[in-house]
Amino acid sequence: MRLLLRVLAPLLALLLAVAGLALVVETVTAWVAPASSPLVVPWPAWRSAIEGLTWQSGSVRAVAIVVGVVGLFVLILGLVARRHDVFLADPVPEVTVTTSPRSLARAVGHEVRSHDDVVSASVVASSSKITVKAATLDPAEEVRAAIRDRVTEMLVRLPLARRPRIAVSVTTTKGVK
């Protein structure tokens, strides 16, 4: 999402800059030579086309709906693309300490993969939940409890401001032990 926002923001800024430049050019042209035709934007033709429109016209309502939907999309995109930091306990009131969800997932994943019975594991972390998916050759329930205990112990060692929920799923893989 952040990548899309990083591409969309300069494009919107460029569009607004071009529109502003066209407005300045047309305004200066209208002041200097009022009788001349427009340079870039055919605004007299546009003016005559929109003179007959009212707020009840279907095209005006359609444009308003499209502008509203695009604005809502940009607003939601901006809200979703914000950073989702995981807050750690502050050492002093003047200092705020955070880490990224990716770093937390990497630390938990390293801890889970160090377990002898785990063949492979993937971890997704946020400030509110850690999801662990692991594969083992042993019975899944025994390994699941061991992984949950191990992750819980690790989270106790970390100075997290808020303890995330832990979801662990373990599958038994077929293979030679």
Side-chain angles (χ1 to χ4, degrees):
M1 283 294 185
R2 292 186 68 152
L3 179 65
L4 180 63
L5 201 60
R6 287 180 180 165
V7 171
L8 189 62
L11 289 177
L12 287 174
L14 184 63
L15 179 70
L16 287 174
V18 168
L21 183 64
L23 178 67
V24 167
V25 167
E26 292 297 333
T27 303
V28 169
T29 302
W31 284 344
V32 173
S36 70
S37 63
L39 286 178
V40 180
V41 180
W43 58 268
W46 289 0
R47 185 174 142 215
S48 63
I50 62 172
E51 277 180 343
L53 296 177
T54 65
W55 287 108
Q56 284 76 30
S57 300
S59 57
V60 173
R61 288 183 180 186
V63 168
I65 290 171
V66 167
V67 168
V69 168
V70 169
L72 187 62
F73 171 73
V74 170
L75 178 69
I76 290 172
L77 184 66
L79 291 174
V80 170
R82 67 182 172 85
R83 289 186 55 120
H84 298 283
D85 289 335
V86 177
F87 288 93
L88 302 174
D90 299 334
V92 291
E94 297 84 21
V95 177
T96 301
V97 184
T98 63
T99 188
S100 68
R102 182 180 292 180
S103 295
L104 181 59
R106 191 177 303 131
V108 171
H110 181 71
E111 183 72 24
V112 169
R113 286 182 202 95
S114 69
H115 191 280
D116 292 334
D117 297 330
V118 174
V119 176
S120 66
S122 68
V123 179
V124 177
S126 71
S127 60
S128 60
K129 185 175 182 181
I130 297 176
T131 304
V132 178
K133 294 181 181 177
T136 182
L137 299 174
D138 295 329
E141 281 305 313
E142 295 172 9
V143 177
R144 181 179 177 278
I147 290 174
R148 177 177 287 282
D149 292 342
R150 203 164 203 174
V151 171
T152 303
E153 288 173 13
M154 184 199 154
L155 292 179
V156 167
R157 289 191 312 262
L158 290 176
L160 294 173
R162 189 176 141 219
R163 296 279 178 241
R165 292 178 290 128
I166 303 169
V168 178
S169 66
V170 178
T171 58
T172 303
T173 61
K174 294 179 174 66
V176 178
K177 196 169 180 184

